[in-house]
Amino acid sequence: MTENTKTHVILLSCGSFNPITKGHIHMFEKAREYLHKTGRFIVIGGIISPVHDSYGKPGLVSSRHRLTMCQLAVQSSDWIRVDPWECYQDTWQTTCSVLEHHRDLMKRVTGCILSNVNTPSTTPVIGQPQNQTTPIYQNHNNMNHIKLWGKISESLGKICCVRPHIERFTFVVVTDFGLSFGLTFLRRPFRLLLALTVVSLYPQMEVIVGDFGIVVVPRDGADTERIMNHSSILRKYKDNITVVKDATNHPMAIVSSTKSRLALQHGDGHVVDYLSQPVIDYILQSQLYINASG
């Protein structure tokens, strides 16, 4: 398969990120590496979407803190971004709603729609405009360099991303992400995939695996194959599910936010195995997770 025929992918991860761990970032890296090795995909970006405060999980700290910790965790990454849209809504959003939001936002930004894994041959993909207006992108041959028109970026940002006013911190929002990664790759097949460490048969899973697809980087000890074999939905859409198989250098136990909180509460020096130093520094400065209630 040539570079021009590979499907471009953005990975999306939803969760509490309470706090975000090294394992969460490792999941993105392993998913991208594995998808590249298949020879069928090119991962052009990753999105971290922390859950809304009203999710109701015990010990869940404010989204203000969780967004900041996520931003600190990816500050050295050139392809993973933090998106605050889910936290800014009036109430908790389902994972399916978050996926649909990002899909629809890309549609508004580009004037095109993403390919649907159920009907790849009939659904227009990015690069096939729905009308005959002049495209807003340039066709660069060197796809390794992302070039944007400043005025286009600014005007589309104002049109496509209306969010509540907030001055406490600034994040790279999905509009910036979509423009940065979307405009350069408009002529390629494109998919938005949900990245997971645990396969759960929660409501709307059929829509998620049927309309989008998932990439699973299993936690240590997780029997992903057994779960898939016992689910008629997962068996039905098995072609839309990628399970990362890696017998070496796969410390997915460090993805546990629960273990990191316990380490913090007990003053366990092994917390450095779970959390990056900037996140640890922020937690200590903000006095988070210092008791059993979070």
Side-chain angles (χ1 to χ4, degrees):
M1 181 173 288
T2 66
E3 292 296 310
N4 289 333
T5 58
K6 291 181 181 179
T7 297
H8 284 93
V9 169
I10 287 180
L11 298 172
L12 170 69
S13 181
C14 298
S16 299
F17 301 104
N18 188 44
I20 188 169
T21 68
K22 290 181 179 179
H24 291 123
I25 307 302
H26 182 77
M27 174 192 67
F28 274 98
E29 298 289 352
K30 297 306 292 185
R32 181 174 71 159
E33 178 184 343
Y34 191 83
L35 287 172
H36 286 178
K37 285 182 177 179
T38 67
R40 297 185 292 119
F41 304 102
I42 298 177
V43 177
I44 61 173
I47 303 173
I48 293 174
S49 181
V51 76
H52 192 273
D53 286 342
S54 67
Y55 182 57
K57 189 174 184 177
L60 185 67
V61 302
S62 167
S63 60
R64 177 173 66 90
H65 292 305
R66 290 182 290 113
L67 285 167
T68 301
M69 287 186 286
C70 287
Q71 186 67 12
L72 290 170
V74 302
Q75 62 184 349
S76 62
S77 175
D78 61 356
W79 69 281
I80 305 174
R81 302 288 182 264
V82 181
D83 182 68
W85 177 85
E86 189 175 352
C87 291
Y88 286 171
Q89 302 312 296
D90 293 333
T91 187
W92 170 76
Q93 303 293 307
T94 65
T95 300
C96 190
S97 296
V98 179
L99 283 162
E100 290 172 346
H101 159 73
H102 287 286
R103 178 194 62 195
D104 294 344
L105 182 56
M106 285 299 297
K107 175 182 176 180
R108 295 200 301 274
V109 169
T110 64
C112 312
I113 63 177
L114 282 72
S115 60
N116 183 305
V117 295
N118 282 335
T119 55
S121 61
T122 59
T123 303
V125 298
I126 286 195
Q128 297 176 345
Q130 296 175 16
N131 52 50
Q132 298 302 316
T133 57
T134 302
I136 59 175
Y137 54 84
Q138 289 178 308
N139 183 18
H140 298 293
N141 291 325
N142 185 357
M143 298 309 242
N144 293 321
H145 295 85
I146 298 172
K147 298 182 179 180
L148 299 177
W149 297 343
K151 292 183 179 180
I152 294 176
S153 175
E154 180 180 357
S155 61
L156 284 176
K158 292 178 181 178
I159 295 172
C160 300
C161 186
V162 179
R163 59 178 180 144
H165 178 65
I166 187 165
E167 296 181 340
R168 287 183 297 232
F169 42 76
T170 303
F171 291 92
V172 178
V173 298
V174 72
T175 298
D176 298 324
F177 177 92
L179 289 171
S180 298
F181 289 95
L183 288 179
T184 303
F185 295 93
L186 285 174
R187 294 187 181 278
R188 308 289 186 84
F190 184 91
R191 283 176 63 180
L192 179 65
L193 299 178
L194 182 67
L196 304 166
T197 59
V198 178
V199 179
S200 301
L201 300 177
Y202 45 78
Q204 298 185 316
M205 177 55 83
E206 184 166 11
V207 176
I208 292 172
V209 295
D211 289 354
F212 296 94
I214 62 176
V215 181
V216 186
V217 185
R219 296 194 187 195
D220 295 345
D223 193 347
T224 304
E225 295 295 335
R226 183 186 64 81
I227 296 173
M228 291 180 58
N229 290 335
H230 283 76
S231 168
S232 59
I233 292 175
L234 297 181
R235 291 198 306 272
K236 178 181 179 181
Y237 296 105
K238 63 181 181 179
D239 291 340
N240 296 343
I241 301 172
T242 300
V243 179
V244 175
K245 299 177 181 178
D246 182 12
T248 61
N249 193 27
H250 195 186
M252 287 310 295
I254 60 175
V255 78
S256 175
S257 294
T258 300
K259 290 183 178 179
S260 67
R261 292 195 301 271
L262 289 173
L264 287 164
Q265 291 160 15
H266 292 94
D268 187 344
H270 286 96
V271 69
V272 297
D273 295 333
Y274 297 100
L275 307 177
S276 65
Q277 193 60 50
V279 172
I280 294 174
D281 293 341
Y282 181 84
I283 288 172
L284 295 177
Q285 177 185 356
S286 304
Q287 292 290 289
L288 304 177
Y289 312 116
I290 59 176
N291 54 55
S293 63

